[in-house]
């Protein structure tokens, strides 16, 4: 059976939850789906499995969002993995149909409006040893800490870039983990240059400084303008070698240092999770400073496809504050489209978005992909970990004539595995663009296709009896 709503929201992070609350407050029938067991998204993940949570500011903000969503008339459906969306021009004349797998199998929903609030993916620029057990993402470590109260190891190297570096280092220290080293790709001047923008939100800047200070006070050695050269170990990571990098992230001559450890937590920023808007063939553009590919949206976060909205990190990585505001703005636009008077509230949000932008953009730019870091990937290093495709194989495919990212996939199977290119596309596209000396737009993106998430065929089809399958009459010869 198909349930019908005025609007469907995919993702109950800050962006999606606010969109649902705003639209539902004005009488719209809204359904919000998320594959997690509760709202909050990545930044405000709810604790699970008996872990009570840390009771810190993020935990309290998440509880507040969860309470407001629960009190709103929006229908919430958690534990639902959205794997298929059809919309205008793609299987339908108007409106959207969303299919999600939940505890009782597949569920279908329909609505004239769809808000995509699917957040971001973590970027790890490949280096030798990055696929060893014990190497995990910075963002992934926040999930371990927030949802499960678990640490990735007992002696850990924390490396990469952006604000998550301090968040994770402080979280690990609080969990009693020994930090072998903190390795920041950014130089001190990178932070200094962004200071005016960061001081525009003094409370957040202070919080970041306190988190960074907590790890330093615990005695963790700190290396600015450094990157991971390689992770070493037989069965799992046992040693991490770091060295200096230039302003573009490329390795430069200088002292290498090695640290024994049982885990490496490393991340090089976030990329937009825009699979649904790509699947819907909305227009996208590439913006390196905001997480790469993103749907083109107007002031109310409408994409170029009628009825399709995109908000939060999935429409450009800009952090929680911008995500919450964008979600609210899109929810109000849906309400306005159906008659509600929301002009004053929209104007207030538009002003708040302008005020919040410098801080968000400064943070996002620290996490942006640095092409020289990608160019430094060694020939033998695996880029696509699902299909074990190395940089050397990508280069060879380009030499053999691959001219866009789809051709690269055909030549090498890069991006063809269960993650559907979520972890390798950013590096693979960049390698191609550099080798061919063309723009990222020219290299293009892999075509969005269902399933959006890996799903077992049996889960989609459900239980059936072979005898019930109708056998078509043979065509006349
Ligand atoms: C792993 C990770 C950890 C992060 N940790 C932090 C942190 O500790 N602090 C911080 O400031 N920022 C963190 N960020 C950045 C942070 O996510 C954003 O700045 C902010 O939360 C964006 O909000 P959002 O609503 O756009 O997306 P999110 O908060 O990412 O919410 C997106 C939601 O969509 C759901 N979703 C996506 N696809 C599907 C699907 N197919 N079916 C069903 N549900 C789906 C996800 O489960 C998720 O709940 C993290 C990002 C990532 C990727």
């Amino acid at each position: 059976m198909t349930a019908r709503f005025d609007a469907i929201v995919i993702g109950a992070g800050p962006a999606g939850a606010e969109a649902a609350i705003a639209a539902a407050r004005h009488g719209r029938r809204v359904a919000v789906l998320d594959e997690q067991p509760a709202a909050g998204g990545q930044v405000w993940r709810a604790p699970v499995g008996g872990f009570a949570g840390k009771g810190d500011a993020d935990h309290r903000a998440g509880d507040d969002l969860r309470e407001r969503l629960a009190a709103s008339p929006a229908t919430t459906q958690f534990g639902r993995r959205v794997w298929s969306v059809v919309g205008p021009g793609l299987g339908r004349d108007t409106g959207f149909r969303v299919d999600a797998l939940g505890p009782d199998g597949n569920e279908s929903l329909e609505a004239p409006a769809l808000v995509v609030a699917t957040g971001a993916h973590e970027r790890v620029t490949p280096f030798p040893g990055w696929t060893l057990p014990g190497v995990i993402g910075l963002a992934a470590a926040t999930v371990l800490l927030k949802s499960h109260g678990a640490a990735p190891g007992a002696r850990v190297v924390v490396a990469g870039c952006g604000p998550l570096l301090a968040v994770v280092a402080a979280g690990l220290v609080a969990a009693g983990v020994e930090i072998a080293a903190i390795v920041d790709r950014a130089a001190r001047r990178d932070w200094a240059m962004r200071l005016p923008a960061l001081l525009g939100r003094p409370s957040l800047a202070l919080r970041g400084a306190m988190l960074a200070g907590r790890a330093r006070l615990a005695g963790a050695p700190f290396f600015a303008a450094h990157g991971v050269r390689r992770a070493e170990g037989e069965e799992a990571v046992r040693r991490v070698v770091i060295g200096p990098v230039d302003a573009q992230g490329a390795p430069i001559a200088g002292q290498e240092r090695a640290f024994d450890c049982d885990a490496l937590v490393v991340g090089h920023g976030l990329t937009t999770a825009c699979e649904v808007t790509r699947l819907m063939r909305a227009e996208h553009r590439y913006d390196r400073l905001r997480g790469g590919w993103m749907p083109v949206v107007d002031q109310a976060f409408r994409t170029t496809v009628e009825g399709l909205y995109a908000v939060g990190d999935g429409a450009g990585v800009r952090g929680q504050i911008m995500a919450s505001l964008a979600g609210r703005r899109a929810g109000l636009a849906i309400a306005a489209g159906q008659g509600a008077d929301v002009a004053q509230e929209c104007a207030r949000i538009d002003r708040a978005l302008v005020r919040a932008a410098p801080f968000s953009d400064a943070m996002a730019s620290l996490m942006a992909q640095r092409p020289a870091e990608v160019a430094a990937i060694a020939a033998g290093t695996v880029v696509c970990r699902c299909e074990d495709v190395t940089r050397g194989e990508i280069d060879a495919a380009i030499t053999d004539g691959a001219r866009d990212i789809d051709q690269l996939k055909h030549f090498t199977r890069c991006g063809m595995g269960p993650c559907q290119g979520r972890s390798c596309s950013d590096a693979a596209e960049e390698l191609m663009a550099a080798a061919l000396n063309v723009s990222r737009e020219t290299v293009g993106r892999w075509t969005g296709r269902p399933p959006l998430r890996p799903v077992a065929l049996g889960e989609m089809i459900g239980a059936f009896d072979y005898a019930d399958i109708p056998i078509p009459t043979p065509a006349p010869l």
Side-chain angles (χ1 to χ4, degrees):
M1 207 181 84
T2 303
R4 289 190 168 73
F5 295 89
D6 295 325
I8 300 166
V9 182
I10 307 177
E18 292 293 356
I21 293 168
R25 178 158 50 87
H26 288 279
R28 304 281 76 85
R29 287 177 306 119
V30 183
V32 54
L33 291 85
D34 200 299
E35 59 191 337
Q36 296 303 321
Q42 305 293 6
V43 58
W44 295 332
R45 268 192 177 241
V48 295
F51 173 54
K54 291 189 291 172
D56 60 5
D58 280 348
H59 186 157
R60 289 194 299 277
D63 279 350
D64 174 65
L65 185 77
R66 286 182 277 278
E67 276 164 31
R68 287 192 297 115
L69 183 60
S72 93
T75 301
T76 51
Q77 301 191 344
F78 296 113
R80 298 326 197 265
R81 206 176 336 142
V82 173
W83 63 273
S84 167
V85 179
V86 290
L90 287 167
R92 295 176 72 89
D93 292 336
T94 57
F96 300 87
R97 175 187 151 128
V98 172
D99 281 276
L101 282 171
D104 301 320
N106 192 64
E107 294 163 27
S108 303
L109 293 78
E110 287 185 352
L114 176 65
V115 182
V116 181
T118 44
H121 302 303
E122 176 146 55
R123 177 194 299 117
V124 178
T125 305
F127 52 84
W130 76 289
T131 55
L132 276 173
V135 180
I136 74 160
L138 264 182
T142 69
V143 175
L144 266 187
L145 289 164
K146 279 180 207 170
S147 278
H148 307 276
R155 182 176 155 81
V156 179
V157 173
V158 186
C161 59
L164 290 183
L165 210 53
V167 170
V168 171
L172 291 175
V173 166
V177 172
E178 184 189 351
I179 310 271
I182 302 172
V183 186
D184 191 348
R185 182 180 72 180
R188 289 194 172 86
R189 70 175 169 280
D190 287 322
W191 287 95
M193 271 164 50
R194 290 164 177 84
L195 205 56
L198 300 184
L199 290 177
R201 315 277 318 187
S203 60
L204 285 178
L206 181 66
R207 193 168 155 225
M210 281 168 63
L211 288 173
R214 205 173 292 164
R216 300 292 297 282
L217 283 176
F222 177 81
F223 299 91
H226 274 63
V228 173
R229 294 276 200 267
R230 58 190 176 277
E232 298 173 345
E234 292 293 323
E235 302 288 313
V237 61
R238 290 288 169 257
R239 217 164 83 110
V240 172
V241 179
I242 68 164
V245 296
D246 68 12
Q248 298 307 314
I252 50 173
Q255 191 189 351
E256 291 193 349
R257 293 178 170 83
F259 297 92
D260 292 336
C261 60
D262 60 359
L264 165 62
V265 178
V266 58
H268 301 107
L270 303 172
T271 60
T272 51
C274 56
E275 294 91 333
V276 177
T277 49
R278 284 197 296 118
L279 180 63
M280 292 294 96
R281 308 294 185 257
E283 190 182 330
H284 286 67
R285 66 187 177 90
Y286 180 78
D287 184 342
R288 190 185 305 282
L289 294 179
R290 291 187 187 161
W293 289 100
M294 63 193 64
V296 173
V297 292
D298 68 9
Q299 198 174 12
F301 299 91
R302 293 183 201 94
T303 70
T304 51
V305 173
E306 195 187 343
L308 182 67
Y309 296 73
V311 292
D313 276 3
V317 172
R318 298 182 90 185
Q320 173 269 315
I321 295 173
M322 297 290 275
S324 298
L325 290 167
R328 212 172 298 153
R329 184 68 172 82
L332 291 175
I334 289 170
Q338 295 171 350
D341 179 8
V342 295
Q344 279 192 355
E345 204 176 342
C346 286
R348 267 200 306 279
I349 295 173
D350 289 343
R351 287 194 294 276
L353 280 163
V354 170
R355 280 197 305 276
F359 180 92
S360 301
D361 288 343
M363 283 299 187
S365 67
L366 279 168
M367 297 194 285
Q369 188 200 55
R370 300 211 180 165
E373 193 173 55
V374 179
I377 298 172
T381 300
V382 166
V383 173
C384 167
R385 62 188 305 169
C386 297
E387 295 288 333
D388 271 343
V389 182
T390 62
R391 189 230 167 121
E393 288 167 300
I394 291 174
D395 287 345
I398 297 167
T399 306
D400 289 347
R403 287 295 170 267
D404 65 36
I405 196 74
D406 275 324
Q407 286 181 358
L408 180 72
K409 190 180 202 175
H410 300 152
F411 278 46
T412 62
R413 294 188 61 83
C414 182
M416 224 155 170
C419 95
Q420 302 224 310
R422 275 189 276 276
S423 57
C424 65
S425 63
D426 206 35
E429 288 168 25
E430 188 58 39
L431 287 170
M432 265 201 118
L436 297 170
N437 196 21
V438 296
S439 67
R440 289 287 288 262
E441 283 81 0
T442 304
V443 166
R445 280 230 55 165
W446 283 311
T447 311
R449 301 200 190 286
L452 295 159
R453 288 277 196 268
V455 285
L457 213 51
E459 282 185 291
M460 281 193 265
I461 301 169
F464 69 94
D465 197 326
Y466 275 103
D468 295 337
I469 299 176
I471 299 174
T473 325
L477 291 172

PDB file of all heavy atoms in Angstrom, residues 208-236:
ATOM      1  N   GLY A 208      35.478  25.610  19.833  1.00  0.00           N
ATOM      2  CA  GLY A 208      36.511  24.923  19.050  1.00  0.00           C
ATOM      3  C   GLY A 208      37.872  25.037  19.708  1.00  0.00           C
ATOM      4  O   GLY A 208      38.616  24.061  19.812  1.00  0.00           O
ATOM      5  N   ALA A 209      38.176  26.245  20.185  1.00  0.00           N
ATOM      6  CA  ALA A 209      39.481  26.468  20.819  1.00  0.00           C
ATOM      7  C   ALA A 209      39.594  25.630  22.100  1.00  0.00           C
ATOM      8  O   ALA A 209      40.653  25.070  22.404  1.00  0.00           O
ATOM      9  CB  ALA A 209      39.650  27.950  21.130  1.00  0.00           C
ATOM     10  N   MET A 210      38.485  25.523  22.847  1.00  0.00           N
ATOM     11  CA  MET A 210      38.513  24.729  24.085  1.00  0.00           C
ATOM     12  C   MET A 210      38.726  23.241  23.779  1.00  0.00           C
ATOM     13  O   MET A 210      39.465  22.541  24.467  1.00  0.00           O
ATOM     14  CB  MET A 210      37.218  24.931  24.874  1.00  0.00           C
ATOM     15  CG  MET A 210      37.234  26.250  25.648  1.00  0.00           C
ATOM     16  SD  MET A 210      35.622  26.675  26.304  1.00  0.00           S
ATOM     17  CE  MET A 210      35.336  25.333  27.415  1.00  0.00           C
ATOM     18  N   LEU A 211      38.075  22.771  22.702  1.00  0.00           N
ATOM     19  CA  LEU A 211      38.244  21.356  22.341  1.00  0.00           C
ATOM     20  C   LEU A 211      39.692  21.083  21.943  1.00  0.00           C
ATOM     21  O   LEU A 211      40.292  20.093  22.363  1.00  0.00           O
ATOM     22  CB  LEU A 211      37.318  21.005  21.167  1.00  0.00           C
ATOM     23  CG  LEU A 211      35.820  20.924  21.488  1.00  0.00           C
ATOM     24  CD1 LEU A 211      35.008  20.745  20.205  1.00  0.00           C
ATOM     25  CD2 LEU A 211      35.537  19.777  22.451  1.00  0.00           C
ATOM     26  N   ALA A 212      40.253  22.009  21.117  1.00  0.00           N
ATOM     27  CA  ALA A 212      41.641  21.828  20.688  1.00  0.00           C
ATOM     28  C   ALA A 212      42.569  21.868  21.903  1.00  0.00           C
ATOM     29  O   ALA A 212      43.498  21.061  22.026  1.00  0.00           O
ATOM     30  CB  ALA A 212      42.013  22.914  19.684  1.00  0.00           C
ATOM     31  N   GLY A 213      42.273  22.793  22.821  1.00  0.00           N
ATOM     32  CA  GLY A 213      43.115  22.950  24.008  1.00  0.00           C
ATOM     33  C   GLY A 213      43.075  21.715  24.897  1.00  0.00           C
ATOM     34  O   GLY A 213      44.095  21.331  25.484  1.00  0.00           O
ATOM     35  N   ARG A 214      41.920  21.066  24.961  1.00  0.00           N
ATOM     36  CA  ARG A 214      41.767  19.890  25.837  1.00  0.00           C
ATOM     37  C   ARG A 214      42.748  18.783  25.427  1.00  0.00           C
ATOM     38  O   ARG A 214      43.395  18.164  26.268  1.00  0.00           O
ATOM     39  CB  ARG A 214      40.326  19.384  25.735  1.00  0.00           C
ATOM     40  CG  ARG A 214      39.881  18.626  26.961  1.00  0.00           C
ATOM     41  CD  ARG A 214      38.414  18.306  26.895  1.00  0.00           C
ATOM     42  NE  ARG A 214      37.564  19.476  27.001  1.00  0.00           N
ATOM     43  CZ  ARG A 214      36.272  19.486  26.656  1.00  0.00           C
ATOM     44  NH1 ARG A 214      35.705  18.411  26.173  1.00  0.00           N
ATOM     45  NH2 ARG A 214      35.560  20.573  26.789  1.00  0.00           N
ATOM     46  N   ALA A 215      42.863  18.555  24.110  1.00  0.00           N
ATOM     47  CA  ALA A 215      43.765  17.497  23.644  1.00  0.00           C
ATOM     48  C   ALA A 215      45.220  17.905  23.878  1.00  0.00           C
ATOM     49  O   ALA A 215      46.057  17.076  24.258  1.00  0.00           O
ATOM     50  CB  ALA A 215      43.515  17.221  22.171  1.00  0.00           C
ATOM     51  N   ARG A 216      45.508  19.198  23.670  1.00  0.00           N
ATOM     52  CA  ARG A 216      46.899  19.651  23.849  1.00  0.00           C
ATOM     53  C   ARG A 216      47.290  19.561  25.322  1.00  0.00           C
ATOM     54  O   ARG A 216      48.411  19.172  25.653  1.00  0.00           O
ATOM     55  CB  ARG A 216      47.065  21.083  23.357  1.00  0.00           C
ATOM     56  CG  ARG A 216      46.733  21.285  21.888  1.00  0.00           C
ATOM     57  CD  ARG A 216      47.732  20.584  20.982  1.00  0.00           C
ATOM     58  NE  ARG A 216      49.075  21.116  21.130  1.00  0.00           N
ATOM     59  CZ  ARG A 216      49.478  22.255  20.580  1.00  0.00           C
ATOM     60  NH1 ARG A 216      48.645  22.938  19.836  1.00  0.00           N
ATOM     61  NH2 ARG A 216      50.704  22.702  20.767  1.00  0.00           N
ATOM     62  N   LEU A 217      46.341  19.898  26.226  1.00  0.00           N
ATOM     63  CA  LEU A 217      46.645  19.837  27.659  1.00  0.00           C
ATOM     64  C   LEU A 217      46.925  18.404  28.098  1.00  0.00           C
ATOM     65  O   LEU A 217      47.659  18.157  29.048  1.00  0.00           O
ATOM     66  CB  LEU A 217      45.476  20.405  28.474  1.00  0.00           C
ATOM     67  CG  LEU A 217      45.381  21.938  28.486  1.00  0.00           C
ATOM     68  CD1 LEU A 217      44.140  22.378  29.243  1.00  0.00           C
ATOM     69  CD2 LEU A 217      46.638  22.542  29.123  1.00  0.00           C
ATOM     70  N   ALA A 218      46.310  17.466  27.387  1.00  0.00           N
ATOM     71  CA  ALA A 218      46.555  16.060  27.740  1.00  0.00           C
ATOM     72  C   ALA A 218      47.922  15.597  27.243  1.00  0.00           C
ATOM     73  O   ALA A 218      48.284  14.431  27.395  1.00  0.00           O
ATOM     74  CB  ALA A 218      45.454  15.183  27.137  1.00  0.00           C
ATOM     75  N   GLY A 219      48.671  16.513  26.628  1.00  0.00           N
ATOM     76  CA  GLY A 219      50.053  16.194  26.244  1.00  0.00           C
ATOM     77  C   GLY A 219      50.192  15.620  24.853  1.00  0.00           C
ATOM     78  O   GLY A 219      51.262  15.108  24.502  1.00  0.00           O
ATOM     79  N   ALA A 220      49.130  15.706  24.026  1.00  0.00           N
ATOM     80  CA  ALA A 220      49.227  15.119  22.691  1.00  0.00           C
ATOM     81  C   ALA A 220      50.151  15.958  21.813  1.00  0.00           C
ATOM     82  O   ALA A 220      49.937  17.163  21.690  1.00  0.00           O
ATOM     83  CB  ALA A 220      47.836  15.035  22.065  1.00  0.00           C
ATOM     84  N   PRO A 221      51.167  15.343  21.187  1.00  0.00           N
ATOM     85  CA  PRO A 221      52.029  16.113  20.276  1.00  0.00           C
ATOM     86  C   PRO A 221      51.225  16.598  19.065  1.00  0.00           C
ATOM     87  O   PRO A 221      50.420  15.841  18.524  1.00  0.00           O
ATOM     88  CB  PRO A 221      53.106  15.116  19.842  1.00  0.00           C
ATOM     89  CG  PRO A 221      52.834  13.848  20.532  1.00  0.00           C
ATOM     90  CD  PRO A 221      51.548  13.932  21.276  1.00  0.00           C
ATOM     91  N   PHE A 222      51.437  17.848  18.658  1.00  0.00           N
ATOM     92  CA  PHE A 222      50.632  18.443  17.586  1.00  0.00           C
ATOM     93  C   PHE A 222      51.539  18.843  16.426  1.00  0.00           C
ATOM     94  O   PHE A 222      52.573  19.471  16.632  1.00  0.00           O
ATOM     95  CB  PHE A 222      49.892  19.668  18.135  1.00  0.00           C
ATOM     96  CG  PHE A 222      49.098  20.388  17.089  1.00  0.00           C
ATOM     97  CD1 PHE A 222      47.842  19.917  16.714  1.00  0.00           C
ATOM     98  CD2 PHE A 222      49.609  21.519  16.470  1.00  0.00           C
ATOM     99  CE1 PHE A 222      47.118  20.568  15.729  1.00  0.00           C
ATOM    100  CE2 PHE A 222      48.881  22.182  15.484  1.00  0.00           C
ATOM    101  CZ  PHE A 222      47.636  21.696  15.113  1.00  0.00           C
ATOM    102  N   PHE A 223      51.154  18.484  15.204  1.00  0.00           N
ATOM    103  CA  PHE A 223      51.944  18.827  14.017  1.00  0.00           C
ATOM    104  C   PHE A 223      51.061  19.553  13.014  1.00  0.00           C
ATOM    105  O   PHE A 223      50.164  18.941  12.427  1.00  0.00           O
ATOM    106  CB  PHE A 223      52.521  17.558  13.381  1.00  0.00           C
ATOM    107  CG  PHE A 223      53.430  16.809  14.309  1.00  0.00           C
ATOM    108  CD1 PHE A 223      52.929  15.812  15.138  1.00  0.00           C
ATOM    109  CD2 PHE A 223      54.778  17.139  14.398  1.00  0.00           C
ATOM    110  CE1 PHE A 223      53.756  15.138  16.025  1.00  0.00           C
ATOM    111  CE2 PHE A 223      55.610  16.471  15.287  1.00  0.00           C
ATOM    112  CZ  PHE A 223      55.100  15.476  16.107  1.00  0.00           C
ATOM    113  N   ALA A 224      51.296  20.863  12.855  1.00  0.00           N
ATOM    114  CA  ALA A 224      50.570  21.631  11.831  1.00  0.00           C
ATOM    115  C   ALA A 224      51.283  21.445  10.498  1.00  0.00           C
ATOM    116  O   ALA A 224      52.479  21.141  10.460  1.00  0.00           O
ATOM    117  CB  ALA A 224      50.540  23.099  12.223  1.00  0.00           C
ATOM    118  N   ALA A 225      50.537  21.644   9.400  1.00  0.00           N
ATOM    119  CA  ALA A 225      51.083  21.526   8.035  1.00  0.00           C
ATOM    120  C   ALA A 225      51.790  20.186   7.840  1.00  0.00           C
ATOM    121  O   ALA A 225      52.889  20.112   7.281  1.00  0.00           O
ATOM    122  CB  ALA A 225      52.021  22.698   7.729  1.00  0.00           C
ATOM    123  N   HIS A 226      51.156  19.123   8.337  1.00  0.00           N
ATOM    124  CA  HIS A 226      51.674  17.762   8.172  1.00  0.00           C
ATOM    125  C   HIS A 226      50.556  16.866   7.639  1.00  0.00           C
ATOM    126  O   HIS A 226      49.372  17.170   7.791  1.00  0.00           O
ATOM    127  CB  HIS A 226      52.164  17.191   9.507  1.00  0.00           C
ATOM    128  CG  HIS A 226      53.585  17.551   9.820  1.00  0.00           C
ATOM    129  ND1 HIS A 226      53.992  18.852  10.014  1.00  0.00           N
ATOM    130  CD2 HIS A 226      54.704  16.762   9.953  1.00  0.00           C
ATOM    131  CE1 HIS A 226      55.300  18.864  10.276  1.00  0.00           C
ATOM    132  NE2 HIS A 226      55.750  17.606  10.243  1.00  0.00           N
ATOM    133  N   GLY A 227      50.969  15.772   7.038  1.00  0.00           N
ATOM    134  CA  GLY A 227      49.994  14.789   6.558  1.00  0.00           C
ATOM    135  C   GLY A 227      50.517  13.384   6.789  1.00  0.00           C
ATOM    136  O   GLY A 227      51.692  13.187   7.113  1.00  0.00           O
ATOM    137  N   VAL A 228      49.610  12.422   6.609  1.00  0.00           N
ATOM    138  CA  VAL A 228      50.013  11.023   6.778  1.00  0.00           C
ATOM    139  C   VAL A 228      50.729  10.571   5.504  1.00  0.00           C
ATOM    140  O   VAL A 228      50.190  10.701   4.410  1.00  0.00           O
ATOM    141  CB  VAL A 228      48.781  10.128   7.046  1.00  0.00           C
ATOM    142  CG1 VAL A 228      49.184   8.649   7.058  1.00  0.00           C
ATOM    143  CG2 VAL A 228      48.121  10.508   8.362  1.00  0.00           C
ATOM    144  N   ARG A 229      51.949  10.057   5.649  1.00  0.00           N
ATOM    145  CA  ARG A 229      52.665   9.494   4.491  1.00  0.00           C
ATOM    146  C   ARG A 229      52.186   8.060   4.237  1.00  0.00           C
ATOM    147  O   ARG A 229      51.951   7.668   3.120  1.00  0.00           O
ATOM    148  CB  ARG A 229      54.175   9.461   4.751  1.00  0.00           C
ATOM    149  CG  ARG A 229      54.802  10.840   4.867  1.00  0.00           C
ATOM    150  CD  ARG A 229      55.124  11.385   3.464  1.00  0.00           C
ATOM    151  NE  ARG A 229      56.124  12.443   3.542  1.00  0.00           N
ATOM    152  CZ  ARG A 229      55.865  13.747   3.631  1.00  0.00           C
ATOM    153  NH1 ARG A 229      54.614  14.160   3.636  1.00  0.00           N
ATOM    154  NH2 ARG A 229      56.848  14.625   3.701  1.00  0.00           N
ATOM    155  N   ARG A 230      52.103   7.279   5.305  1.00  0.00           N
ATOM    156  CA  ARG A 230      51.626   5.900   5.151  1.00  0.00           C
ATOM    157  C   ARG A 230      51.231   5.315   6.504  1.00  0.00           C
ATOM    158  O   ARG A 230      51.703   5.779   7.549  1.00  0.00           O
ATOM    159  CB  ARG A 230      52.689   5.002   4.492  1.00  0.00           C
ATOM    160  CG  ARG A 230      53.995   4.946   5.230  1.00  0.00           C
ATOM    161  CD  ARG A 230      55.093   4.258   4.426  1.00  0.00           C
ATOM    162  NE  ARG A 230      56.357   4.322   5.147  1.00  0.00           N
ATOM    163  CZ  ARG A 230      57.182   5.374   5.115  1.00  0.00           C
ATOM    164  NH1 ARG A 230      56.894   6.435   4.393  1.00  0.00           N
ATOM    165  NH2 ARG A 230      58.306   5.365   5.823  1.00  0.00           N
ATOM    166  N   ALA A 231      50.359   4.318   6.453  1.00  0.00           N
ATOM    167  CA  ALA A 231      50.022   3.527   7.643  1.00  0.00           C
ATOM    168  C   ALA A 231      50.620   2.145   7.428  1.00  0.00           C
ATOM    169  O   ALA A 231      50.518   1.588   6.328  1.00  0.00           O
ATOM    170  CB  ALA A 231      48.510   3.429   7.798  1.00  0.00           C
ATOM    171  N   GLU A 232      51.251   1.612   8.474  1.00  0.00           N
ATOM    172  CA  GLU A 232      51.941   0.326   8.319  1.00  0.00           C
ATOM    173  C   GLU A 232      51.402  -0.696   9.302  1.00  0.00           C
ATOM    174  O   GLU A 232      50.937  -0.341  10.390  1.00  0.00           O
ATOM    175  CB  GLU A 232      53.450   0.517   8.569  1.00  0.00           C
ATOM    176  CG  GLU A 232      54.112   1.470   7.592  1.00  0.00           C
ATOM    177  CD  GLU A 232      55.576   1.769   7.956  1.00  0.00           C
ATOM    178  OE1 GLU A 232      55.995   1.476   9.104  1.00  0.00           O
ATOM    179  OE2 GLU A 232      56.287   2.301   7.094  1.00  0.00           O
ATOM    180  N   GLY A 233      51.503  -1.960   8.908  1.00  0.00           N
ATOM    181  CA  GLY A 233      51.058  -3.055   9.764  1.00  0.00           C
ATOM    182  C   GLY A 233      50.764  -4.257   8.900  1.00  0.00           C
ATOM    183  O   GLY A 233      50.535  -4.120   7.700  1.00  0.00           O
ATOM    184  N   GLU A 234      50.735  -5.444   9.515  1.00  0.00           N
ATOM    185  CA  GLU A 234      50.454  -6.663   8.734  1.00  0.00           C
ATOM    186  C   GLU A 234      48.952  -6.905   8.690  1.00  0.00           C
ATOM    187  O   GLU A 234      48.310  -6.754   7.669  1.00  0.00           O
ATOM    188  CB  GLU A 234      51.159  -7.869   9.384  1.00  0.00           C
ATOM    189  CG  GLU A 234      52.670  -7.824   9.286  1.00  0.00           C
ATOM    190  CD  GLU A 234      53.166  -7.973   7.852  1.00  0.00           C
ATOM    191  OE1 GLU A 234      52.560  -8.744   7.083  1.00  0.00           O
ATOM    192  OE2 GLU A 234      54.150  -7.281   7.495  1.00  0.00           O
ATOM    193  N   GLU A 235      48.388  -7.239   9.856  1.00  0.00           N
ATOM    194  CA  GLU A 235      46.959  -7.543   9.935  1.00  0.00           C
ATOM    195  C   GLU A 235      46.135  -6.284  10.184  1.00  0.00           C
ATOM    196  O   GLU A 235      44.958  -6.228   9.867  1.00  0.00           O
ATOM    197  CB  GLU A 235      46.701  -8.522  11.103  1.00  0.00           C
ATOM    198  CG  GLU A 235      47.472  -9.827  11.000  1.00  0.00           C
ATOM    199  CD  GLU A 235      46.908 -10.698   9.907  1.00  0.00           C
ATOM    200  OE1 GLU A 235      45.679 -10.852   9.867  1.00  0.00           O
ATOM    201  OE2 GLU A 235      47.696 -11.204   9.082  1.00  0.00           O
ATOM    202  N   ALA A 236      46.768  -5.303  10.824  1.00  0.00           N
ATOM    203  CA  ALA A 236      46.074  -4.057  11.184  1.00  0.00           C
ATOM    204  C   ALA A 236      47.128  -2.965  11.328  1.00  0.00           C
ATOM    205  O   ALA A 236      48.330  -3.257  11.373  1.00  0.00           O
ATOM    206  CB  ALA A 236      45.317  -4.242  12.504  1.00  0.00           C
TER     207      ALA A 236
END
